[in-house]
Amino acid sequence: MWTLLCGRSSRQCLLEEIIINFIEAVNISNTHVLEWVSELFHLEGYNIQLIPPHEGGRNVVYTCEQEGCESLILRVSFLPDRNREDYIAELEYVQYLFDHGASVSNVVSSKKGNLLEEITYEEHTFFVSLFHKAKGKLLVENNYQYREGVPLTEYYYNSGKVLGKMHQLSKSYVPVHRRHHFFDNYKVEYIERLVPESFSLLKEKMVELLNTLKGLNTNQETFGMIHFDYNDGNYSIDFDTGHITVYDFDNSCFGWYMYDLADLWTHGVGWIQFEPDAGKRNAFMNDYFETALAGYTSETKIEDSMLEKLPLFIQVTLLENILGQLEEMQHTGEELEDNEEVLYFIKCLEEDIPYRGFFHDMYLSEAPFTL
């Protein structure tokens, strides 16, 4: 067991609490939780298999398969940094998106008609939810090969279009249960707790970044519910049609739509990251984002004044990435000085290097995003 002093999200400043780690959660889930879950969600007869966790994962996740039935995804959440209200707010948002035509994996209600079930075992609480499994597979599962005979630009366009549809629906979303606000996650106190004293300039730049964000517009057209982790690890592609289905909304929050667009930009660099010519990388990224943005604006509008803030929000994605990794290091004991990627991103923030340094002299195409 390990001790969680403070996490992200409405998780700020938790009381010191002993929690189970992932391996312990899997053991309890396999031996006790699944038995109750099968009864709660009509899963008798399903073959339920654990999905190996990915880096940064915070849930125990299973596939549920039965011949002649639709495949399902079971999520068992065990960390105590979110409460019932947080999970219900997430699931209600997903259901709203699905009901209004967004391409997302919908929630499956339990026998009792609940979107969320809560199971307690030896004073540990498990929040359980069930989803329809998205059709298709991850890009990485297809070795980053797109549809045969179809230009990759279709994928760029579709990834923007799906995001634009979600944002357009968010502009009219009136929640029953509210998810947290960006500034509930990211506060000066949180930065002070995580960033080592030796990185005083980093702290200063992060606080400066938060203060800049506080001055931005939060009207209906610029600010609302966002995915907050929009990337090709959180959606599946039907390689017969190119259709994208989004999932993993457990980081969703109220924030600026430009944050998700910045995520869309940053995850495009993988297609060209090994190109040694910075000019060619720049030209590619301009074309990539123009195509993705065309898909996005086919569903919703975005003001030019916000698009001009793309470099700012790419810096915000760095802030999120750095703080997330620092928090993980507190749990694992990894030393910051041993993580070259984090040090690279810190340099980008400290020295105001835009676009994650992707067009800067410090970028090494043979070892992307490392110093």
Side-chain angles (χ1 to χ4, degrees):
M1 293 186 179
W2 43 274
T3 303
L4 180 68
L5 294 177
C6 182
R8 296 161 54 209
S9 171
S10 51
R11 34 186 174 173
Q12 299 283 336
C13 300
L14 291 173
L15 293 175
E16 183 171 327
E17 182 175 0
I18 302 298
I19 66 172
I20 55 176
N21 62 33
F22 183 83
I23 294 174
E24 292 168 323
V26 169
N27 289 336
I28 295 173
S29 186
N30 286 343
T31 56
H32 297 90
V33 175
L34 288 185
E35 182 180 348
W36 292 316
V37 165
S38 294
E39 171 65 23
L40 286 168
F41 284 94
H42 294 287
L43 293 178
E44 299 91 344
Y46 275 80
N47 179 25
I48 302 177
Q49 294 291 330
L50 178 70
I51 298 176
H54 62 274
E55 184 179 353
R58 48 177 292 113
N59 304 299
V60 182
V61 184
Y62 300 88
T63 58
C64 307
E65 311 276 353
Q66 185 176 41
E67 188 174 351
C69 298
E70 184 176 2
S71 297
L72 304 170
I73 296 292
L74 177 68
R75 186 183 75 186
V76 179
S77 303
F78 63 93
L79 295 176
D81 55 352
R82 296 178 188 173
N83 58 34
R84 184 178 184 84
E85 178 96 0
D86 295 326
Y87 289 111
I88 291 177
E90 172 206 344
L91 299 174
E92 286 180 350
Y93 176 58
V94 171
Q95 190 172 65
Y96 165 82
L97 289 176
F98 181 85
D99 289 345
H100 290 81
S103 185
V104 302
S105 292
N106 197 22
V107 191
V108 180
S109 297
S110 69
K111 285 182 181 180
K112 300 176 183 178
N114 299 326
L115 298 180
L116 183 75
E117 291 291 350
E118 185 175 337
I119 295 172
T120 301
Y121 176 79
E122 292 187 349
E123 299 183 355
H124 298 298
T125 299
F126 297 85
F127 291 103
V128 182
S129 46
L130 188 67
F131 304 86
H132 294 280
K133 186 178 182 181
K135 187 174 182 181
K137 54 187 177 181
L138 298 171
L139 262 174
V140 65
E141 294 172 333
N142 207 47
N143 299 313
Y144 284 97
Q145 300 298 309
Y146 194 56
R147 305 203 294 139
E148 188 175 351
V150 178
L152 195 53
T153 50
E154 178 190 83
Y155 164 66
Y156 304 157
Y157 184 91
N158 286 349
S159 63
K161 185 177 180 67
V162 168
L163 181 62
K165 178 69 172 181
M166 292 192 298
H167 285 179
Q168 179 60 31
L169 292 173
S170 289
K171 293 174 182 180
S172 302
Y173 182 54
V174 180
V176 177
H177 297 83
R178 288 188 67 87
R179 287 286 283 181
H180 55 273
H181 187 290
F182 174 87
F183 286 119
D184 293 330
N185 284 15
Y186 299 99
K187 298 179 180 180
V188 174
E189 297 83 0
Y190 181 46
I191 293 171
E192 289 290 339
R193 275 192 295 272
L194 285 179
V195 179
E197 289 299 324
S198 56
F199 286 84
S200 58
L201 179 57
L202 176 63
K203 288 185 182 183
E204 179 183 319
K205 291 293 183 178
M206 285 184 165
V207 172
E208 182 181 300
L209 195 53
L210 292 185
N211 288 335
T212 300
L213 291 176
K214 288 176 181 177
L216 296 185
N217 204 325
T218 56
N219 64 32
Q220 188 178 25
E221 291 299 315
T222 62
F223 190 94
M225 277 291 287
I226 59 175
H227 188 283
F228 207 64
D229 196 16
Y230 189 71
N231 63 76
D232 60 55
N234 286 333
Y235 51 72
S236 290
I237 302 170
D238 181 342
F239 287 95
D240 291 329
T241 64
H243 186 79
I244 291 173
T245 305
V246 186
Y247 38 80
D248 283 359
F249 284 81
D250 52 352
N251 286 322
S252 59
C253 66
F254 280 90
W256 291 270
Y257 298 125
M258 274 306 303
Y259 183 93
D260 279 350
L261 281 168
D263 258 351
L264 186 64
W265 188 95
T266 61
H267 286 89
V269 303
W271 298 106
I272 194 71
Q273 64 181 346
F274 297 114
E275 167 57 54
D277 188 318
K280 290 181 180 178
R281 293 198 301 271
N282 198 339
F284 173 88
M285 289 305 297
N286 286 338
D287 290 342
Y288 159 78
F289 196 62
E290 182 179 342
T291 303
L293 198 59
Y296 182 86
T297 54
S298 72
E299 295 289 347
T300 194
K301 63 181 181 180
I302 182 79
E303 297 174 359
D304 288 342
S305 60
M306 290 304 295
L307 280 175
E308 291 168 0
K309 293 179 174 58
L310 175 63
L312 169 68
F313 279 95
I314 291 174
Q315 296 295 79
V316 180
T317 69
L318 287 182
L319 177 146
E320 188 278 335
N321 186 299
I322 293 167
L323 291 177
Q325 295 212 46
L326 287 176
E327 185 176 352
E328 184 67 18
M329 289 176 192
Q330 283 193 350
H331 300 154
T332 63
E334 181 186 357
E335 296 294 332
L336 175 55
E337 290 73 14
D338 296 333
N339 192 317
E340 288 196 27
E341 182 184 69
V342 176
L343 292 174
Y344 175 96
F345 290 153
I346 287 174
K347 182 178 176 69
C348 288
L349 276 191
E350 287 183 336
E351 300 184 15
D352 298 318
I353 300 171
Y355 298 105
R356 295 195 168 201
F358 198 47
F359 314 125
H360 194 273
D361 290 344
M362 76 177 198
Y363 182 80
L364 302 173
S365 59
E366 62 272 21
F369 305 108
T370 60
L371 292 176

